[in-house]
Amino acid sequence: SLARMDAMNAALSPAHQRDEQILGTLHANLELLYVKAKNYHWNVKGVGFQGVHETFDKIQEYAVDQGDRIAERMRYYNMPVDARMTSFLKKALFAEGDLERSQESMLYDMSLSLQAIHDFIISHMDTISCPVSQNMTQDICEGIDKFNYFVKSNMVIYPNNAE
C-alpha cells in the first residue's frame, strides 16, 4: 500500500538518503548532458562537421541510456525520480550550452561538462552504500571518460593537454 511505502521512506537510513542524493544528481546531469549534446549536434558547423556531429549524437544517446539506467536503479530502491527540468537545473554540475559557439568552443565546453560528471562520480563513488550501484557509477564514469577522449581528439587545441 502507499501508506506502507511512505512509512518505509520515512525510516530510510542516512546512507540511503545519501545514495538518493548522489544518484539523483547523476541522473539529472546525464539528462542535462543529453540536452546539451543534442543541441550541439543540431547546431555544430565547420571543418570536420560530420565527425563532430556524430560524436555529439553518440554522447546524447549514451547520456539518455545511462540516465534511464540510473533512474531505474533509483526506482528499485524506492527512490523518487524527479524528471522535471527545473529539478535537473538545480542539480546542474555544468552550464547549458550556448548554441552560438564555434565548433571548437562547443567541443571544449562539452569536454568540461563530461569532466564535471566524471569528477562528481569519482568524488562520490566510494560513499554509495550499495556495491552494485558503485559498480554502475564506475561503469558510467568509464563511458564518460571514453566520450571525453573522443571529444578532445576532435579539438585542434585542448588547454593543458595540447600536443
Side-chain angles (χ1 to χ4, degrees):
S1 76
L2 290 177
R4 183 170 179 234
M5 287 179 68
D6 289 340
M8 287 172 49
N9 283 337
L12 293 177
S13 70
H16 185 88
Q17 292 171 355
R18 185 179 57 246
D19 289 357
E20 182 179 325
Q21 182 180 24
I22 294 167
L23 294 176
T25 298
L26 180 56
H27 173 253
N29 281 277
L30 288 166
E31 297 297 336
L32 291 169
L33 182 67
Y34 162 79
V35 172
K36 179 180 266 190
K38 198 60 171 175
N39 277 317
Y40 283 176
H41 164 84
W42 284 326
N43 292 288
V44 69
K45 55 188 175 225
V47 177
F49 159 81
Q50 189 63 36
V52 174
H53 179 79
E54 290 174 4
T55 296
F56 288 146
D57 198 38
K58 288 177 181 165
I59 291 170
Q60 65 89 25
E61 289 172 4
Y62 182 80
V64 77
D65 288 346
Q66 298 312 307
D68 190 59
R69 187 176 172 199
I70 291 291
E72 288 170 356
R73 187 76 184 157
M74 292 174 70
R75 293 307 304 147
Y76 173 79
Y77 283 112
N78 200 32
M79 297 172 182
V81 177
D82 187 352
R84 294 174 294 170
M85 194 56 68
T86 55
S87 176
F88 292 162
L89 291 170
K90 288 177 185 173
K91 298 174 184 176
L93 301 171
F94 51 86
E96 290 185 284
D98 177 359
L99 305 182
E100 299 301 317
R101 289 177 181 264
S102 67
Q103 177 177 291
E104 189 74 8
S105 182
M106 285 181 181
L107 288 164
Y108 179 71
D109 184 53
M110 181 58 71
S111 179
L112 292 177
S113 300
L114 292 165
Q115 189 65 46
I117 295 172
H118 161 92
D119 292 348
F120 176 82
I121 292 171
I122 293 298
S123 67
H124 291 88
M125 191 180 334
D126 290 340
T127 63
I128 296 173
S129 63
C130 173
V132 174
S133 296
Q134 284 181 348
N135 288 342
M136 181 188 309
T137 57
Q138 184 176 6
D139 181 50
I140 292 169
C141 191
E142 181 181 357
I144 292 290
D145 286 349
K146 177 184 83 170
F147 282 109
N148 204 1
Y149 168 76
F150 293 155
V151 166
K152 289 178 183 181
S153 70
N154 280 292
M155 296 177 69
V156 176
I157 296 176
Y158 187 80
N160 301 321
N161 198 28
E163 295 181 14

